[in-house]
Amino acid sequence: MPIGVGVLLLAVFVARAEDSLRRESPVWDETMHLDYGLNFLRLGARVPAGDHPYPVTALLALPLALQQPEPGQVLERLEVPGTSIQAELRRIEDPRNLHPARRMNVAIAALGLALAAGWLARRSGWGVGLGFLALGTLDPGWLAAARYATTDVAHGLAFLGGGLALAQHRMRGGLGTLVLAGLFGTLGLAAKFSGIVLVAGAAVAMLVPLPGDGRYDVGRRLGAAAKATLVVAIVAVGGWLLLFQVHVLAGIASPADGWHRVVASLGEFARVRALPRGTFLLGGFHPEGSRAYLPVLLAAKTPLALVLAAILGLLLPEGRSMLRAHRPFLGVLLVFLVVAVASNVNLGHRHLTPFLPFLWLSGAAGLVALVRSVRRGGWLAGMLGILLAAEGGLAHPHYLAFTNGAFGGVQGAHRVAVDSASDWGQDLPLLARYLRDHPPDSGPVHLAYFGTADPAAYGIHSVWLPCRPLGRPRPRGAPAASCGTPAEVMAVSATCLQGAAGGTTRDDCYAGLRHREPDAVLGGSILVFRNPLPAAPILESPGQGEGREPGVNGGP
């Protein structure tokens, strides 16, 4: 029975993800991830670090590498600098390129959750294992990350697997569990450079007190922490360095290529992190970002049912008792949360992905404690489960823009935070359908788009509007207008509307529309205004709004 319920939960998760991934256009990071992943897989470390030098993207691009591209799938071929080989850039809007990579990520996300739930079931019983799996598969935050061919799921699984391996080491000891945690650290580094935080998590996992340990021996705990930190660090960093040397064995790269690429990757990361960038949060613009950003997103984008279940786990005595046994694992995730908030990376809820299992395990403990210790607790736990499924179901398929009811839901997501918190360029198909159903009487739609996909690929004939500085560059020869030009229908990405498309100065191009009720909100990311009142024309300097600085949308 428990296995059957688990299979059903995973099947529902995959079905929801599949339906959603088919409905959305490519998001920012997918363009860069697929380009780099496919060419790293084929050519190795000779591929320039570019914007997102993360080798785990090769895993997502594996389905593309195993088949010959059909006509129209390849956008262009470019010569790799200093070599005679050519890199292949795929047409990202083509479903034959995009969907297989997305499905690979969904499969990884489902498998990772299943293995973690199985470990927890053996450790704490089927109730906790199934509760963890249910909350994870129904959480819109995990679904949002799973549907896109980006590194966020791999990053989350690195901390999930690494934390469980460290917890196992704390219980049973042995070098093998530390090596396994280090390999998860390699996965984390191959996904985002903040994977190195798992090393600090290893120390915390060894230091926290556990029930049944007896008197707390400070010297022994410090020694265990030092050993765990050293082993995890050596394996994690060593494994990451070796990833850049794998192609040496196939004879398609030299050792020097790998070392040069490592240096270039670190340099690219440092360059991106040094770029100043403001952020929009709850109606205000913060030129230097805000350390309240991730805590606010955690409150706004966690389903209310999951919040209630997690609170029960922390408040009910039986729930606290269950969670005490998992202190090493939870400690690893808390370390990540602290570092994430302190780093001031204000680029979406996806940067909290490694912390989500903390909520799922706390919620699972809360549900089990509710059933065991409260009268009619089974009914109450079932109602929380139904509420969680309903919250995600009402947001389907717009999981990226999911915002709980206390913060306005999907329709109000653009008032909480933008960029990859709600608007990553994913809703061009929805805009195309809206324009088919409600076509302008005269002239094409005026579109300010924050994304990398081509609107024309979805049948959208538009007049380009600026979205400074990182919105879609003006296509050569395409019709264009200033943001103050009157239009019958104007579609504006939420990030453009809030003036938060990069840089430290808020762009007020669309300030006149911010307090006007839109005629339609599409997927939480594109707002449509029909016959908007003309704002004062803004004269553009030559080339303004026609380029973007690569890298500022990526994370550590």
Side-chain angles (χ1 to χ4, degrees):
M1 177 66 174
I3 293 179
V5 173
V7 170
L8 178 62
L9 288 169
L10 290 169
V12 171
F13 172 81
V14 171
R16 292 170 74 185
E18 172 68 20
D19 182 62
S20 181
L21 71 84
R22 286 173 169 269
R23 297 197 198 189
E24 294 190 347
S25 46
V27 298
W28 265 82
D29 282 13
E30 285 184 307
T31 306
M32 296 163 282
H33 283 177
L34 288 186
D35 284 346
Y36 183 77
L38 177 61
N39 288 292
F40 183 85
L41 197 62
R42 293 172 57 244
L43 307 174
R46 294 184 178 189
V47 178
D51 186 15
H52 284 61
Y54 302 132
V56 78
T57 56
L59 183 60
L60 306 180
L62 186 61
L64 305 183
L66 295 177
Q67 60 181 13
Q68 281 293 110
E70 297 178 12
Q73 279 187 259
V74 177
L75 179 64
E76 60 180 322
R77 290 182 170 87
L78 300 176
E79 188 171 295
V80 176
T83 74
S84 59
I85 59 178
Q86 287 189 325
E88 184 178 280
L89 304 184
R90 294 293 183 93
R91 191 177 300 279
I92 191 66
E93 298 88 357
D94 192 325
R96 295 171 297 180
N97 294 325
L98 186 62
H99 291 176
R102 285 181 168 180
R103 290 185 184 115
M104 174 65 83
N105 206 40
V106 171
I108 293 170
L111 179 61
L113 273 188
L115 293 175
W119 187 93
L120 289 168
R122 290 195 299 272
R123 175 79 174 84
S124 299
W126 280 107
V128 171
L130 277 180
F132 180 88
L133 184 62
L135 296 177
T137 54
L138 293 174
D139 185 356
W142 189 246
L143 269 161
R147 297 163 310 128
Y148 299 134
T150 65
T151 63
D152 298 306
V153 158
H155 190 223
L157 291 179
F159 282 86
L160 174 57
L164 292 178
L166 290 166
Q168 182 74 9
H169 176 78
R170 185 67 192 274
M171 288 188 302
R172 304 289 175 84
L175 184 63
T177 47
L178 290 181
V179 172
L180 180 59
L183 291 174
F184 276 111
T186 295
L187 175 64
L189 282 169
K192 293 183 188 292
F193 285 114
S194 57
I196 196 65
V197 176
L198 187 60
V199 175
V204 171
M206 299 305 114
L207 289 173
V208 295
L210 269 180
D213 271 358
R215 187 177 65 86
Y216 191 82
D217 188 329
V218 176
R220 182 185 175 196
R221 288 292 99 220
L222 287 174
K227 175 184 175 182
T229 301
L230 183 62
V231 173
V232 172
I234 289 173
V235 175
V237 176
W240 178 72
L241 292 174
L242 287 175
L243 287 176
F244 290 91
Q245 298 294 338
V246 168
H247 294 78
V248 174
L249 301 175
I252 59 177
S254 70
D257 289 330
W259 299 123
H260 291 157
R261 195 55 57 218
V262 166
V263 173
S265 296
L266 293 172
E268 179 67 12
F269 170 72
R271 182 191 71 81
V272 170
R273 288 293 287 122
L275 290 171
R277 178 163 185 163
T279 193
F280 169 82
L281 184 67
L282 294 177
F285 184 80
H286 306 269
E288 297 180 357
S290 171
R291 286 187 170 81
Y293 180 86
L294 289 179
V296 168
L297 258 60
L298 190 62
K301 298 182 82 65
T302 302
L304 295 176
L306 179 53
V307 172
L308 290 173
I311 290 174
L312 287 172
L314 296 171
L315 292 182
L316 292 176
E318 189 161 348
R320 289 200 306 272
S321 176
M322 283 184 276
L323 291 177
R324 276 196 290 269
H326 294 283
R327 279 177 181 168
F329 172 62
L330 297 174
V332 172
L333 306 185
L334 281 172
V335 167
F336 175 83
L337 178 64
V338 170
V339 173
V341 172
S343 70
N344 207 28
V345 175
N346 294 178
L347 288 170
H349 182 261
R350 62 196 179 93
H351 285 277
L352 287 171
T353 303
F355 181 71
L356 297 182
F358 184 100
L359 300 175
W360 305 338
L361 182 55
S362 299
L367 294 177
V368 172
L370 194 62
V371 171
R372 292 178 180 175
S373 60
V374 175
R375 186 183 178 188
R376 296 183 179 175
W379 286 98
L380 295 174
M383 289 175 63
L384 280 177
I386 292 171
L387 176 60
L388 177 58
E391 285 186 271
L394 291 173
H396 181 82
H398 312 300
Y399 299 113
L400 183 69
F402 173 83
T403 305
N404 63 43
F407 285 82
V410 170
Q411 296 293 98
H414 64 281
R415 298 188 182 96
V416 177
V418 290
D419 202 290
S420 62
S422 59
D423 169 28
W424 223 6
Q426 72 271 19
D427 282 317
L428 288 180
L430 206 55
L431 176 60
R433 189 173 74 183
Y434 174 86
L435 293 173
R436 287 195 300 270
D437 294 342
H438 310 279
D441 292 327
S442 60
V445 62
H446 286 216
L447 175 61
Y449 175 56
F450 182 73
T452 56
D454 181 5
Y458 299 90
I460 299 171
H461 303 290
S462 60
V463 173
W464 176 90
L465 292 179
C467 179
R468 305 177 182 94
L470 301 176
R472 182 171 180 260
R474 176 180 177 178
R476 186 169 301 173
S482 70
C483 50
T485 303
E488 181 188 348
V489 178
M490 183 181 289
V492 185
S493 287
T495 307
C496 308
L497 179 73
Q498 303 296 4
T504 57
T505 303
R506 189 175 195 181
D507 179 16
D508 284 330
C509 207
Y510 303 98
L513 296 176
R514 287 176 193 152
H515 301 291
R516 169 175 167 164
E517 194 66 26
D519 291 274
V521 178
L522 306 180
S525 75
I526 297 177
L527 291 87
V528 178
F529 301 90
R530 303 189 76 92
N531 298 306
L533 295 175
I538 295 178
L539 300 178
E540 299 179 56
S541 59
Q544 187 175 12
E546 297 188 15
R548 74 170 185 269
E549 175 69 20
V552 298
N553 233 46

